[in-house]
Amino acid sequence: MNETPHRYTAALADRIENAWQDRWEEEGTFHAPNPAGSLADPDKVATFGGHLLVLDMFPYPSGAGLHIGHPLGYIATDVVARYNRMLGKNVLHCLGYDAFGLPAEQYAVQTGQHPRKTTEDNIAIMKRQLRRLGLGHDDRRAIETIDPDYYRWTQWIFLQIFNAWYDPDAVRPDGGRGRARPIADLIAGLESGERPTPDGQPWADLDEVERAAIIDGHRLAYTHEAPVNWAPGLGTVVSNEEVTNEGLTERGNFPVFRKNLRQWMMRITAYADRLADDLDRVDWPEKVKLMQRNWIGRSQGARVSFPVVGMDATIDVFTTRPDTLFGATFMVLAPEHPLVPALTAPAWPEGTKAAWTAGQESPEGAVAAYRLAASRKSEVERQRETKDKTGVFTGGYAVNPTTGAPIPVFIADYVLMGYGTGAIMAVPGQDQRDWDFAEEFDLPIIRTVEPTPDHDPGLAFVGDGPAINSANDELSLNGLTIAPAKERMIAWLQEKGFGEGTINYKLRDWLFSRQRYWGEPFPVVFDEHGIVHALPESMLPVELPDVPDYSPKTFDPQDNSSSPEAPLSRVPEWVEVELDLGDGRGRRRFRRDTNTMPNWAGSCWYYLRYLDPSNAASFLDPANEAYWIGPRDTPVIAGTADPGGVDLYIGGVEHAVLHLLYARFWHKVLHDLGHLTSDEPFRRYFSQGYIQAPAYTDSRGQYVEAKEVVQTADAAGEPVFTYRGAVVNREFGKIGKSLKNMVSPDEMYAAYGADTLRLYEMGMGPLEHSKPWETKAVVGSLRFLQRLWRIVIDEDTGAVRVADVSPDDATLRVLHRSIAAVREDYATLGFNTAIARLTELNNALTKLEVVPRSVAEQLVLMVAPLAPHIAEELWNRLGHPESLAYAAFPLPDERYLVEETVTCVIQIRGKVRDRVEVPAGIAEDALRDLVMARPKVLDAVGGGVRTVIVRAPKLVNVVPL
RNA sequence: GCGCGAGUGGCGGAAUUGGCAGACGCGCCAGACUUAGGAUCUGGUGCCUUCGGGUGUGCGGGUUCGAGUCCCGCCUCGCGCACCA
């Protein structure tokens, strides 16, 4: 230790890193000036050559602190940010905290403290851990969603949405149709009679409650009584997006039941088309675009009405295959379908088959039993019992409009109430599910598409082919393939009034209220008629009151008879208020809403507040919006209109259909209402991989503490892992408490320093890949920094050891090739290859007796985005008192990028057999002559030459006869 | 089942338009320094080999002077969706 007192060690790194972090903070090194508002510095803005907004996903401060997987994306954005500052751009990079929500509340309940206390404690821990990483954040913009100055604007945005409706006919600036408009426009239209009321009654004749119902039926945020996802074990309802495909809550894995409750909804379905279409205008991973498209689930088809026999009613279905309507031999309704009771016949009609009755005396008994059984099943059970078709006959019949034939109507749980109309026309010939049901219940099967000759006669035919058995007196589809047959059928349905072409979506409206304490209160009140009133802006924020007990009322997770109880309902003095809403009606008594917003609310717009964090007059100054995220002249996707938005958003793929969809929706509403020039929030999104760490299971399959596992090798040299003497099994998985494989960044800071950790995480492999963490490999990154240090600093004396000499030609070539490659790699997020190139240069300089100052300085500048502290320190010791944060990134000199001579590879029959140094500009003929005279070539072509391929100057391939 | 992505040394991973496979790092081997080394430094390291060479990018075919890269057919793994009408 003593012999090299100035070696770069973890201890030295610790001193250097802390010192630079202090200096950056004192000098406000990473403060990005705004064009307008409280952070404005227009003169400084003008000094930059362009601007860049890089964004990390909004972190949630967990109680456990960070693990080494968390910083991966933060380091990557920091490298991009630092690199772009060195290119002369005004770079905005900051980080705030998403602090409302379930986990904080659960942690608070567990520890018996107020969620504000635990949340703030957790933020403090996370801030310390992240500061130690040396991220170049503008700390003036570190917002927190729980801050009333922030959620005041979350509530304000909610009111914007509440006070808006979607006008599908309004023309947008981009020429498309459909946009949000102020609700006042709708009311004015209703008042003037320009817009009729739904049932045609004059507006003036309606009472207050009736009017409110009509208006609320159009609002983009509305309360609605409908089946929602109720999780008794969590004590709250959750959105569709928060239910896993196993029918469990994303948080906590609690069973979810459908329950009719009045809840806040967001009319995201109004934006379904734009949310799907505009994916074409953003630069996102195809995989994530696909996930959103699947979630929106747009499908083209037709709505068809089937008259019910003996009733003045129709069963409406949605189908993507109207061309197969002639083959519809029965219908199936979801058990919950509202028409079921009316359809159910008093007695089994003539022709009822035994299999249709489930052994019951009457249709009523059969239907009731089946509906009861279906209602008792949780989502999990319904998902699990796939394939086996069950159902019962209602005793009712509907008429196939093409044939006039009565067809039986069944209920079955393979038809879901939540999709389409909750009813289907069953076409067993062309749909395997219907085929299975038809076989099970002995129903007729009519093929209406000619199957291919090799098609299994025991299966439905879903492929394309000519229509058969598809004609009546007015219409014949026979011979047509699917696409024209659909067209013809839709035209006929429309003409006859039986249906029309339509588009169906899987996307449902967004359930927006939660029965929890730790969230934003709704900025609304209800009057004595139950009518919702928005609070005037002057009453914002509606602060979250203290409650005697903030823990949610939870129930047995399986108890679907329970109902949610919001903690805010425990403070009647807060709930019951007397207010003057400024509507000219004076002080009146109201009830506040005891629900709170989901934590998606705060994270739906945080990136907007980053742009103008302390604006008290507005959520965001338009000048700041236009500057940072306004649409660009050069579109991010060629051939489309640039949507504007964040330049680079890096984060995990887990929010592909949650946060990323919700944020796009809010952004579009705010755009429609004229608050934003951009119409997408994130013009470029990059999905990072995960860091996985080894986890170990013992003989019982239990996870054991990974830190205590010892690795040895058996006789064959294969690794063996033992825990307290017992052999354990290694696997790789997500880092965390559950797998007992936590690795904290604090451990890495202590053992190696932050720069080493940064370098290691960026060097592991492509950012988008998931890759295994290996603590023992981190030393490679430390060695890199030690060599870098040694290039500049004498390890014995601590003196700067570079010399003011001119670099030799070979060194200049390595240097400039590195500069060109590293620039390219930084621009494309290829950090692992950038590090490889820097390592090569570093190793080349290590071998020099005398290191030229100019080369060392350029290396230091190039390393700076990755390992900023050591770079700043070396830059400083090299005699530059200013921070290198805004120093110009090295430029490659073209002269050193072209080689004078290159190694030409000589292949014989495609195999490398010889090499020769040739001038880079050698002519093809000269090279051929030179190569053909080589002894190895002469040996090989004794029998004559078939052909010679010359790719001057790098390759010649000689093919002998 | 449908869709998407990926398979390269012991490991993580590199390879413009098809043109020297394995950059860079870990590990491993040898050496230096050292009382010591799980520090640091230097060199080596795909596999096989009779040391000439042979062989090699999941498997099988194809195109080409030449294929990790392009085409066809499989296999395996990962992710997403899934009774979506």
Side-chain angles (χ1 to χ4, degrees):
Chain A
M1 209 53 168
N2 286 338
E3 75 233 65
T4 48
H6 297 277
R7 172 166 291 169
Y8 181 79
T9 59
L12 179 58
D14 188 69
R15 288 200 297 278
I16 292 171
E17 290 169 2
N18 277 299
W20 279 99
Q21 284 154 14
D22 290 345
R23 181 167 159 189
W24 292 331
E25 187 176 315
E26 282 158 23
E27 297 184 358
T29 306
F30 305 110
H31 289 184
N34 267 359
S38 54
L39 304 182
D41 191 345
D43 295 341
K44 196 167 173 204
V45 168
T47 63
F48 290 102
H51 57 87
L52 188 85
L53 172 61
V54 291
L55 184 70
D56 299 288
M57 280 199 176
F58 211 26
Y60 197 90
S62 94
L66 293 181
H67 61 67
I68 41 79
H70 289 117
L72 183 69
Y74 305 152
I75 299 169
T77 47
D78 192 47
V79 176
V80 172
R82 287 175 181 273
Y83 173 62
N84 279 280
R85 276 186 205 105
M86 296 175 80
L87 296 180
K89 290 185 195 160
N90 186 13
V91 176
L92 175 44
H93 190 208
C94 61
L95 197 77
Y97 293 90
D98 182 20
F100 271 133
L102 270 172
E105 194 182 271
Q106 283 166 331
Y107 185 72
V109 170
Q110 278 164 26
T111 56
Q113 291 170 293
H114 194 281
R116 179 173 300 281
K117 166 95 173 80
T118 56
T119 303
E120 279 169 359
D121 289 351
N122 290 347
I123 289 176
I125 292 168
M126 197 160 161
K127 270 189 174 161
R128 175 185 60 71
Q129 289 184 310
L130 287 178
R131 181 192 138 97
R132 191 61 192 77
L133 199 54
L135 302 170
H137 291 158
D138 184 342
D139 49 13
R140 302 169 305 172
R141 302 172 188 257
I143 53 174
E144 295 173 11
T145 54
I146 56 173
D147 184 343
D149 286 340
Y150 180 84
Y151 71 72
R152 171 211 168 110
W153 294 108
T154 308
Q155 291 171 338
W156 180 86
I157 293 171
F158 175 86
L159 290 179
Q160 296 299 307
I161 300 169
F162 175 78
N163 284 320
W165 62 297
Y166 201 80
D167 181 350
D169 301 318
V171 177
R172 294 193 299 269
D174 68 8
R177 276 180 184 276
R179 65 177 171 88
R181 294 174 61 189
I183 199 78
D185 294 358
L186 177 83
I187 296 170
L190 288 162
E191 280 173 351
S192 71
E194 181 195 326
R195 171 174 292 272
T197 57
D199 60 359
Q201 270 209 65
W203 182 254
D205 295 355
L206 301 178
D207 68 23
E208 207 185 340
V209 175
E210 289 166 327
R211 288 178 181 180
I214 292 172
I215 296 166
D216 292 352
H218 285 86
R219 292 182 189 275
L220 290 181
Y222 60 101
T223 61
H224 185 53
E225 169 115 12
V228 295
N229 307 303
W230 162 236
L234 210 51
T236 184
V237 297
V238 295
S239 74
N240 291 346
E241 288 78 11
E242 290 170 294
V243 179
T244 65
N245 52 15
E246 282 87 36
L248 302 173
T249 58
E250 183 141 72
R251 290 267 178 209
N253 283 327
F254 290 106
V256 168
F257 298 89
R258 304 296 286 181
K259 193 173 183 76
N260 265 311
L261 291 167
R262 174 158 292 272
Q263 294 293 328
W264 279 102
M265 306 293 288
M266 289 258 169
R267 208 177 298 278
I268 191 171
T269 50
Y271 282 82
D273 270 321
R274 284 164 71 189
L275 289 170
D277 291 342
D278 288 348
L279 289 170
D280 295 335
R281 294 164 58 212
V282 293
D283 179 9
W284 287 19
E286 273 311 313
K287 178 188 150 139
V288 177
K289 290 187 181 185
L290 197 70
M291 285 167 72
Q292 291 217 347
R293 285 200 187 98
N294 285 342
W295 189 260
I296 295 164
R298 176 164 58 186
S299 58
Q300 197 102 32
R303 186 189 54 75
V304 185
S305 298
F306 287 65
V308 180
V309 173
M311 270 173 69
D312 183 20
T314 61
I315 300 173
D316 293 349
V317 303
F318 171 75
T319 176
T320 55
R321 292 293 303 275
D323 60 301
T324 64
L325 188 44
F326 283 96
T329 54
F330 58 102
M331 301 192 79
V332 186
L333 272 52
E336 308 88 349
H337 195 284
L339 267 178
V340 171
L343 271 165
T344 307
W348 294 118
E350 193 79 12
T352 300
K353 294 179 183 172
W356 301 2
T357 64
Q360 295 276 340
E361 292 289 316
S362 71
E364 273 148 5
V367 166
Y370 192 81
R371 293 182 90 183
L372 183 67
S375 72
R376 283 206 177 129
K377 284 182 195 166
S378 70
E379 296 287 319
V380 199
E381 289 161 324
R382 255 180 104 147
Q383 302 274 355
R384 209 167 275 157
E385 299 165 7
T386 54
K387 298 288 169 252
D388 292 341
K389 294 288 180 289
T390 60
V392 292
F393 181 39
T394 60
Y397 284 86
V399 178
N400 183 328
T402 58
T403 62
I407 55 176
V409 181
F410 286 75
I411 58 170
D413 63 5
Y414 85 94
V415 173
L416 309 170
M417 196 57 225
Y419 183 77
T421 63
I424 62 159
M425 63 177 208
V427 187
Q430 276 74 233
D431 185 296
Q432 192 57 44
R433 296 156 299 176
D434 297 344
W435 179 285
D436 294 342
F437 192 86
E439 295 228 297
E440 190 75 36
F441 292 89
D442 192 20
L443 287 155
I445 297 171
I446 303 171
R447 291 197 189 272
T448 60
V449 178
E450 176 92 62
T452 49
D454 59 337
H455 182 71
D456 182 346
L459 293 175
F461 179 70
V462 298
D464 204 349
I468 52 172
N469 303 321
S470 298
N472 60 23
D473 294 346
E474 300 171 348
L475 171 73
S476 173
L477 308 179
N478 289 340
L480 297 177
T481 53
I482 293 177
K486 279 183 184 173
E487 236 173 87
R488 187 81 61 86
M489 177 60 84
I490 289 171
W492 183 81
L493 287 170
Q494 232 148 321
E495 187 193 316
K496 304 289 287 183
F498 288 129
E500 59 189 346
T502 185
I503 296 168
N504 190 58
Y505 302 90
K506 204 177 109 183
L507 183 70
R508 304 281 101 183
D509 277 344
W510 172 19
L511 192 152
F512 192 72
S513 39
R514 301 290 181 274
Q515 292 72 49
R516 302 289 293 223
Y517 170 68
W518 196 230
E520 299 88 347
F522 283 84
V524 297
V525 287
F526 298 89
D527 68 16
E528 73 273 23
H529 304 299
I531 297 172
V532 189
H533 297 267
L535 291 174
E537 250 181 72
S538 60
M539 291 187 187
L540 301 185
V542 177
E543 292 209 36
L544 185 63
D546 275 323
V547 291
D549 178 13
Y550 41 76
S551 54
K553 173 128 172 110
T554 57
F555 303 87
D556 181 319
Q558 300 293 343
D559 179 10
N560 62 348
S561 66
S562 55
S563 292
E565 181 196 307
L568 287 182
S569 65
R570 296 169 199 154
V571 274
E573 64 279 16
W574 180 82
V575 176
E576 306 289 342
V577 286
E578 201 179 289
L579 299 169
D580 182 349
L581 297 182
D583 54 1
R585 301 174 67 176
R587 287 181 76 81
R588 298 166 62 204
R589 291 197 58 79
F590 296 100
R591 275 182 60 83
R592 291 192 192 273
D593 195 314
T594 56
N595 292 296
T596 54
M597 298 189 197
N599 76 320
W600 308 111
S603 62
C604 257
W605 74 285
Y606 72 100
Y607 58 95
L608 296 173
R609 193 61 176 173
Y610 280 168
L611 308 182
D612 207 357
S614 43
N615 190 332
S618 159
F619 81 111
L620 168 60
D621 188 307
N624 291 331
E625 192 266 343
Y627 176 74
W628 289 111
I629 60 170
R632 318 294 193 280
D633 295 335
T634 313
V636 69
I637 299 291
T640 66
D642 192 86
V646 174
D647 290 288
L648 177 65
Y649 195 15
I650 294 184
V653 77
E654 69 271 20
H655 289 128
V657 288
L658 290 158
H659 159 64
L660 287 175
L661 192 66
Y662 297 150
R664 292 181 65 215
F665 165 52
W666 276 33
H667 199 102
K668 285 182 182 300
V669 176
L670 291 171
H671 168 82
D672 282 355
L673 296 177
H675 299 300
L676 302 172
T677 62
S678 49
D679 73 330
E680 279 286 335
F682 317 117
R683 67 199 292 269
R684 183 169 179 222
Y685 162 62
F686 186 93
S687 163
Q688 73 187 59
Y690 296 101
I691 292 182
Q692 302 182 308
Y696 303 87
T697 49
D698 64 18
S699 54
R700 298 164 304 161
Q702 297 294 307
Y703 285 100
V704 301
E705 196 52 60
K707 279 193 187 64
E708 295 176 39
V709 171
V710 183
Q711 179 175 352
T712 52
D714 66 12
E718 294 295 314
V720 176
F721 304 95
T722 51
Y723 172 75
R724 294 183 184 166
V727 173
V728 289
N729 180 47
R730 182 175 70 162
E731 57 187 65
F732 283 88
K734 227 179 150 182
I735 302 171
K737 270 189 289 188
S738 56
L739 302 191
K740 295 190 177 173
N741 60 351
M742 187 85 171
V743 183
S744 158
D746 295 339
E747 301 165 42
M748 295 298 120
Y749 300 150
Y752 301 100
D755 279 336
T756 297
L757 174 64
R758 292 170 59 112
L759 200 61
Y760 176 70
E761 293 213 3
M762 291 298 99
M764 289 171 81
L767 190 60
E768 65 271 30
H769 286 190
S770 289
K771 48 237 152 183
W773 177 264
E774 216 182 338
T775 297
K776 69 177 180 183
V778 179
V779 70
S781 301
L782 178 65
R783 286 182 195 141
F784 171 91
L785 294 180
Q786 283 179 328
R787 285 198 291 275
L788 174 68
W789 184 260
R790 198 156 50 235
I791 285 167
V792 179
I793 303 294
D794 187 300
E795 285 193 335
D796 296 317
T797 66
V800 172
R801 57 175 289 264
V802 297
D804 291 303
V805 296
S806 297
D808 61 39
D809 207 59
T811 303
L812 284 170
R813 285 183 191 289
V814 181
L815 172 68
H816 288 281
R817 270 209 311 275
S818 302
I819 294 171
V822 168
R823 276 178 163 260
E824 170 76 20
D825 288 339
Y826 279 160
T828 57
L829 311 185
F831 306 120
N832 56 326
T833 47
I835 290 168
R837 303 312 292 258
L838 291 169
T839 308
E840 284 175 325
L841 176 61
N842 201 33
N843 291 349
L845 298 192
T846 303
K847 291 180 177 64
L848 296 181
E849 283 292 316
V850 180
V851 178
R853 168 184 292 271
S854 63
V855 182
E857 289 193 343
Q858 296 192 74
L859 173 58
V860 166
L861 290 174
M862 285 195 284
V863 169
L866 289 157
H869 313 88
I870 188 175
E872 288 271 26
E873 182 70 18
L874 292 174
W875 187 246
N876 188 273
R877 295 202 191 191
L878 283 163
H880 305 279
E882 292 289 307
S883 162
L884 53 59
Y886 295 90
F889 200 85
L891 267 169
D893 185 333
E894 294 294 330
R895 283 176 301 169
Y896 298 103
L897 296 181
V898 288
E899 296 286 351
E900 282 164 10
T901 66
V902 295
T903 306
C904 177
V905 172
I906 301 168
Q907 297 182 334
I908 291 170
R909 223 181 256 107
K911 300 231 178 275
V912 181
R913 282 295 177 275
D914 199 7
R915 292 185 174 86
V916 60
E917 282 294 313
V918 297
I922 192 167
E924 232 180 69
D925 291 342
L927 182 60
R928 179 183 293 111
D929 294 347
L930 187 147
V931 165
M932 294 312 288
R934 303 279 296 179
K936 285 190 182 173
V937 175
L938 290 173
D939 281 356
V941 299
V945 177
R946 195 164 124 214
T947 184
V948 180
I949 314 287
V950 183
R951 292 283 179 271
K954 293 181 85 172
L955 180 132
V956 177
N957 189 7
V958 180
V959 185
L961 279 175

